[in-house]
Amino acid sequence: MIIVMQAAAGRPELDAVVARVEQLGLRPHVIVGTERTVVAVVGDERDAAGSGVETLPGVAAVMPILAPYKVASREVQTEPTVVRAGPMVVGGSTIGVIAGPCSVESREQILAAARAVKAAGATGLRGGAFKPRTSPYAFQGLKQQGLELLAEARAETGLAIVTEVVAPEDVPLVARFADVLQVGARNMQNYRLLEAVGGTDRPVLLKRGPAATVEELLLAAEYILNAGNRAVMLCERGIRTFEAHTRFTLPLATVPWLHARTHLPVVVDPSHGTGHAALVPSLAAASVAAGADGLIIEVHPDPRTAASDGGQSLDFAAFARTMDTCRRVAAAVDRSIG
Ligand code: PEP
Ligand code: MN
């Protein structure tokens, strides 16, 4: 970090800043210029986060140089992280597609969805068994029975199972059935849950909170990484803005922005990101063009009868067409889906 002193600051203020930096275990280098004096701080400045250096007398500004996230940062790992679960590969030259219904509703529904999404080229099967619903009166999911049905779908198709866990105490149960643990948007900053999934050997799909910045998303990922789990996928699923024509606003600039700062793969969810099935194919293709390492798409055998999120779910034919388009876009940006 660079500490810029005020023009009027004198020797006592400078000495106090230098002493505080040394007290934090960092090395201060004083650079006296013609207009201003600055203190360049050498060492991991994140150790000084919250130390209040900016409030010391004579300090004009403090400018961080390093990102506040450590393990997730490209500064510590330049190679992209590739996350694997069964046949699913997310990252590197491969784009992984996770598809399936919002909620697991019945054996027929999840098996039909699993067969169709596999035939179209998905390698992961999504389906919520524990649903975090905005209304307590909405369908809450089949819970353990839903997990058992997902396991049955995996046994038949081989697809990797991606399903949400909503509470730290449910992590052992969900991890027994799931190949990938999904942390939902509403739980992005549930730090006990992040630590709990970080303590498992299951890859984690971490969704961005609708009101969280991307830096907060990276710091949430840091909780999982710090707990020992390095298989973390970040998921852009849209944020809340003043705009009302879509359910959320899906900012695809997140994808290249994150790629520049983190080695973790980035998955995009055009279903929740738009809220409208008619918009999903275009945003899926745009996500691939923007460099997404994965897609998570809601697909239902009969969206009109879905227990949740039917309006944003693709039917089998629309999903197959979307996959064809995405494959061509992927080839254009030197990636492949599979
Ligand atoms: C979901 O994937 O069905 C879901 C609830 O997503 P989100 O957490 O992004 O709202
Ligand atoms: Mn949903």
Side-chain angles (χ1 to χ4, degrees):
M1 100 187 125
I2 305 285
I3 303 170
V4 183
M5 301 300 293
Q6 292 167 0
R11 192 77 222 180
E13 286 86 8
L14 181 63
D15 288 347
V17 167
V18 165
R20 180 77 180 119
V21 169
E22 284 171 342
Q23 194 186 32
L24 291 166
L26 303 166
R27 270 179 299 130
H29 285 271
V30 178
I31 304 159
V32 183
T34 48
E35 302 286 325
R36 293 285 175 106
T37 296
V38 304
V39 182
V41 178
V42 180
D44 194 335
E45 69 194 40
R46 288 166 292 205
D47 296 340
S51 65
V53 177
E54 64 280 7
T55 65
L56 291 177
V59 172
V62 174
M63 293 179 293
I65 304 291
L66 290 177
Y69 32 90
K70 297 187 189 193
V71 192
S73 168
R74 277 251 181 221
E75 287 159 3
V76 299
Q77 182 186 316
T78 49
E79 283 301 296
T81 291
V82 179
V83 172
R84 292 168 204 274
M88 192 180 91
V89 181
V90 176
S93 61
T94 308
I95 299 166
V97 178
I98 302 159
C102 179
S103 308
V104 181
E105 296 165 13
S106 67
R107 170 176 286 110
E108 297 67 38
Q109 176 240 22
I110 196 66
L111 288 178
R115 290 176 193 132
V117 302
K118 183 181 177 173
T123 47
L125 175 66
R126 63 151 292 147
F130 290 86
K131 292 303 299 179
R133 302 306 299 281
T134 302
S135 164
Y137 309 115
F139 176 57
Q140 300 290 310
L142 296 181
K143 310 209 165 75
Q144 180 159 349
Q145 191 200 345
L147 297 174
E148 287 163 2
L149 293 174
L150 285 166
E152 201 176 319
R154 171 180 48 212
E156 186 190 309
T157 60
L159 292 169
I161 299 301
V162 182
T163 195
E164 180 162 356
V165 57
V166 295
E169 61 270 24
D170 294 338
V171 169
L173 172 71
V174 179
R176 197 144 56 77
F177 291 92
D179 299 295
V180 174
L181 300 172
Q182 177 177 328
V183 174
R186 291 159 189 79
N187 269 317
M188 189 202 88
Q189 287 175 311
N190 180 341
Y191 300 116
R192 297 297 83 79
L193 179 62
L194 300 177
E195 284 165 353
V197 298
T200 71
D201 61 0
R202 294 282 183 267
V204 177
L205 179 74
L206 176 63
K207 298 187 97 178
R208 176 183 186 180
T213 64
V214 273
E215 193 158 282
E216 287 164 341
L217 172 64
L218 285 168
L219 287 167
E222 197 80 10
Y223 273 87
I224 303 170
L225 298 165
N226 275 340
N229 190 340
R230 297 302 167 94
V232 178
M233 295 171 273
L234 304 171
C235 180
E236 175 57 82
R237 46 79 73 208
I239 53 174
R240 185 154 280 173
T241 69
F242 56 81
E243 188 53 83
H245 77 290
T246 48
R247 183 180 178 188
F248 293 95
T249 295
L250 185 62
L252 294 182
T254 303
V255 180
W257 190 94
L258 282 170
H259 278 153
R261 286 161 184 83
T262 180
H263 50 86
L264 299 175
V266 183
V267 174
V268 179
D269 176 346
S271 306
H272 293 86
T274 63
H276 299 283
L279 305 179
V280 170
S282 308
L283 271 293
S287 303
V288 173
D293 301 294
L295 294 171
I296 178 164
I297 300 179
E298 288 186 338
V299 178
H300 193 283
D302 182 6
R304 289 164 308 175
T305 64
S308 58
D309 285 349
Q312 66 191 34
S313 299
L314 300 184
D315 61 20
F316 296 160
F319 178 64
R321 284 195 300 274
T322 302
M323 288 293 280
D324 283 343
T325 308
C326 286
R327 260 188 286 270
R328 283 181 281 134
V329 176
V333 293
D334 300 324
R335 309 283 293 275
S336 63
I337 293 181

